[in-house]
Amino acid sequence: MNNRYLLPLGFAAVLAFGVLIGVKISPFASGRPTYATESTSNQRINDILNFISQRYVDSLNVDSLMDGFVADYLNKPETIDELFKKLDPHSSYIHKEDLVGFNEELDGNFDGIGIEFNIVDDTILVVAALSGGPSAKLGILAGDKIIKIDDSTVAGTKIISENVIKKLRGKKGTEVKVMIKRAGEKNLLPFTIVRDVIPITSIDAAYMVDDKIGYIKVNKFSEKTPIEFDDALMTLKSSGMKNLILDLRFNPGGYLTGAVALADEFLAGTPLIVYTEGRAVGRSDYNAGKNGLFESGNVVVLINEYSASASEILAGALQDNKRAKIVGRRSFGKGLVQQVYDLNDSSAIRLTIARYYTPSGKSIQRPYDEGVDAYYEQYLSIMMNGGELPDSLKENKKIDWGIHPDVYVPLDTSPVNQTLNYLLNRSLIQQFSYSNYAANAKTFAGFIDVNDFTNNYKVSDALFEKFVQYYSLHDTDKAITAAEINAARSKIEIAMKAYIARQKWGDNGFYANMNKLDDAFIKAVQEVK
């Protein structure tokens, strides 16, 4: 039997193009557990109960756990998923059909739509739209629920990850249509996604905000993240960077070693970065130790409710060591460490074996004492409430989970921003901007670089009027008026420039413009000086 050890995952389980983010560490010397029961001769159940007995993070009564389960399992094998719901939100059974996607390597490129997803409450939940992929370009967001794929309803149908992957993956240039339910939207949103090559990179953008402030956005912690991050850091330093904004928003986590390596770039000496501790595995400390590339200079870290796991480790380490100021909204609250065990029938289990703690000893795990379903339902309510726990759920609850920002920046819910988001949610700004770029490529080629474009390109009155007409022709809901669009003109123009810049200069060009609309980014610039 092979053991694979994963530390600590975000709540993403499978990527639509078949990649799992994790980290391998050395296996335990004790090998396979030897606990056995007389309740069943089924080897799979015996192995699962053995692992739970000897490796689970907390002490529990295995006989009590399995009461009523074995008989049900023999008649209805899918109830095995229910067993893991009795443990915690991040322990799970991995069906052998799902291991094809689960075991693929992080390296390389894949054809697909470019999302990370999980199945929550029998619904496909988008964990992240991967930067540079077709979904991100269209405006699909973390937290979106996929209700239909092409002509098939996929919500409430007991769909498994393998079948989701089969429906969403495909050759470059082919189309897939999805209907999405988005928080705050009454109607389903239609998207036609053209599959493309999905680059597996960790750094979305790295650019100079001004002559002293650099910006780096990290979308995940993969095996190559430390190398990619160091390259970005050195490039910005060579451009005169003195202070840094590190953006970890919408980063669901990944390799623990990646988060530790990035923290070590900022921390002088050998301070504690994070430690893990579990009943069977004891305590492991992770300290800084090398000469980092950015041990001096101001640092601001941006987080939000989608920043999970390894993102929280990095933010917590820099906050506790007073190395960075945290700006944004409270993070996800994922502080459990999983280990993956292969089973003899080619399936596997992902079992929580420890908790991780920030240097001050804080466990950031959001409570799950009301059950796994309630845990994810609570998170969905947080997303729908602008990143904060609704007042109805605050009563009699101790809210000390996650990483708390030093500077809180609420979600912008102004009417003008609602108009902007309405247009972005329907990909109207994106599609119009891409068409404008294609029709005027020679004009945009005349700009020296993205700074020249950002400072000197203006959206003309005629072009904006064309957009208003485009909206009237392409939005069937007609939920906003031309007057509301004109009231939001300044923001719409910035968004147009961002999507045009993405076509010409990639994500560096996109974020250099789009961040001008971002209240948390604007606050970070003020705080990092």
Side-chain angles (χ1 to χ4, degrees):
M1 175 183 291
N2 294 321
N3 292 333
R4 294 187 312 285
Y5 300 60
L6 306 181
L7 293 176
L9 292 172
F11 73 107
V14 184
L15 308 187
F17 51 85
V19 178
L20 173 75
I21 304 171
V23 62
K24 297 179 182 179
I25 62 175
S26 300
F28 293 116
S30 58
R32 174 187 281 199
T34 57
Y35 178 93
T37 74
E38 297 178 357
S39 301
T40 178
S41 59
N42 185 282
Q43 186 64 52
R44 171 166 42 178
I45 294 301
N46 213 35
D47 285 346
I48 289 172
L49 295 176
N50 284 338
F51 284 126
I52 292 173
S53 174
Q54 292 205 3
R55 296 301 184 197
Y56 191 62
V57 61
D58 298 321
S59 297
L60 47 77
N61 186 323
V62 175
D63 291 329
S64 175
L65 180 70
M66 60 185 286
D67 279 349
F69 166 72
V70 173
D72 288 342
Y73 169 73
L74 294 176
N75 295 315
K76 194 176 181 183
E78 58 265 29
T79 58
I80 196 169
D81 295 309
E82 298 301 316
L83 173 68
F84 285 89
K85 286 188 176 183
K86 297 180 180 180
L87 300 177
D88 64 79
H90 302 290
S91 292
S92 63
Y93 177 69
I94 308 168
H95 296 262
K96 61 183 179 181
E97 294 86 359
D98 293 336
L99 281 176
V100 174
F102 194 93
N103 287 328
E104 287 192 4
E105 297 294 333
L106 275 168
D107 300 329
N109 297 325
F110 300 84
D111 289 355
I113 70 168
I115 64 166
E116 299 176 13
F117 72 88
N118 199 351
I119 297 177
V120 179
D121 290 339
D122 204 16
T123 303
I124 303 165
L125 180 70
V126 176
V127 175
L130 302 181
S131 178
S135 293
K137 289 180 178 179
L138 285 178
I140 291 175
L141 303 174
D144 285 346
K145 298 177 182 179
I146 299 177
I147 306 302
K148 296 183 71 173
I149 300 177
D150 290 325
D151 295 326
S152 301
T153 298
V154 292
T157 61
K158 305 296 183 184
I159 194 168
I160 62 174
S161 298
E162 180 192 25
N163 290 338
V164 177
I165 293 170
K166 285 180 178 178
K167 288 177 177 291
L168 296 180
R169 281 184 78 169
K171 293 182 179 180
K172 175 182 177 180
T174 59
E175 290 185 351
V176 59
K177 295 181 179 180
V178 299
M179 298 292 290
I180 279 176
K181 174 62 179 174
R182 178 168 295 168
E185 292 285 346
K186 294 181 180 179
N187 300 324
L188 297 180
L189 302 176
F191 290 89
T192 299
I193 310 169
V194 179
R195 298 179 178 96
D196 204 345
V197 175
I198 311 301
I200 310 304
T201 58
S202 302
I203 308 300
D204 283 349
Y207 71 92
M208 293 296 293
V209 178
D210 58 25
D211 58 350
K212 292 184 179 179
I213 300 174
Y215 170 89
I216 300 177
K217 182 172 178 62
V218 183
N219 63 56
K220 70 171 75 70
F221 291 90
S222 70
E223 189 172 20
K224 293 182 178 179
T225 300
I227 296 173
E228 294 175 7
F229 184 78
D230 286 359
D231 288 344
L233 205 56
M234 288 187 290
T235 298
L236 295 182
K237 287 181 69 176
S238 68
S239 298
M241 180 181 68
K242 304 299 180 185
N243 304 314
L244 175 67
I245 297 171
L246 175 58
D247 195 344
L248 299 180
R249 292 173 298 175
F250 301 97
N251 183 324
Y255 284 100
L256 171 68
T257 49
V260 170
L262 265 61
D264 204 357
E265 298 294 0
F266 298 99
L267 298 171
T270 59
L272 182 64
I273 293 173
V274 65
Y275 69 92
T276 64
E277 192 166 19
R279 173 180 62 92
V281 300
R283 170 169 169 160
S284 296
D285 289 4
Y286 296 81
N287 292 78
K290 68 179 181 181
N291 293 322
L293 292 174
F294 204 73
E295 292 182 354
S296 62
N298 297 333
V299 181
V300 163
V301 178
L302 287 168
I303 62 170
N304 64 4
E305 60 274 18
Y306 300 95
S307 305
S309 193
S311 295
E312 296 171 291
I313 290 174
L314 177 53
L318 298 183
Q319 185 180 53
D320 281 6
N321 284 294
K322 302 186 185 305
R323 180 64 187 91
K325 185 173 289 188
I326 311 300
V327 173
R329 298 190 293 275
R330 189 204 318 267
S331 62
F332 178 86
K334 197 281 184 183
L336 300 178
V337 180
Q338 281 74 51
Q339 174 178 336
V340 173
Y341 292 97
D342 292 329
L343 301 176
N344 285 332
D345 67 347
S346 298
S347 62
I349 65 171
R350 181 172 55 229
L351 187 67
T352 295
I353 61 169
R355 292 179 173 85
Y356 68 77
Y357 300 84
T358 69
S360 64
K362 176 184 177 180
S363 171
I364 64 170
Q365 177 62 44
R366 187 158 45 88
Y368 51 88
D369 50 292
E370 296 180 3
V372 172
D373 290 340
Y375 174 82
Y376 282 111
E377 287 169 3
Q378 182 191 74
Y379 180 63
L380 292 175
S381 71
I382 290 170
M383 289 192 301
M384 295 182 70
N385 196 48
E388 286 300 315
L389 200 64
D391 291 339
S392 60
L393 296 178
K394 288 182 179 178
E395 297 178 6
N396 302 319
K397 288 186 181 293
K398 187 178 181 181
I399 306 173
D400 61 355
W401 45 265
I403 301 298
H404 296 237
D406 300 304
V407 180
Y408 174 74
V409 181
L411 193 67
D412 184 351
T413 58
S414 65
V416 166
N417 214 55
Q418 289 181 32
T419 297
L420 175 69
N421 287 335
Y422 180 91
L423 297 169
L424 290 172
N425 285 348
R426 286 152 182 78
S427 294
L428 295 168
I429 293 176
Q430 295 93 311
Q431 298 289 8
F432 179 81
S433 301
Y434 295 152
S435 297
N436 181 41
Y437 176 83
N440 299 280
K442 291 183 179 179
T443 299
F444 298 117
F447 291 97
I448 299 172
D449 54 25
V450 67
N451 289 327
D452 182 24
F453 170 81
T454 301
N455 295 329
N456 297 308
Y457 177 71
K458 306 296 181 185
V459 175
S460 67
D461 291 342
L463 182 61
F464 193 81
E465 181 57 34
K466 282 185 178 180
F467 173 71
V468 176
Q469 295 172 4
Y470 180 88
Y471 161 76
S472 67
L473 291 172
H474 291 83
D475 182 34
T476 56
D477 291 337
K478 301 292 191 299
I480 58 176
T481 65
E484 288 172 317
I485 294 176
N486 278 290
R489 176 170 176 170
S490 61
K491 290 194 171 189
I492 294 170
E493 288 181 354
I494 292 173
M496 284 182 182
K497 291 178 65 172
Y499 285 102
I500 291 170
R502 171 176 271 168
Q503 295 296 93
K504 178 67 176 175
W505 294 282
D507 280 340
N508 275 354
F510 174 76
Y511 285 103
N513 284 273
M514 203 67 172
N515 278 343
K516 296 179 183 295
L517 296 173
D518 189 331
D519 288 345
F521 172 83
I522 293 168
K523 188 63 177 177
V525 172
Q526 297 169 356
E527 295 290 336
V528 81
K529 292 181 178 178

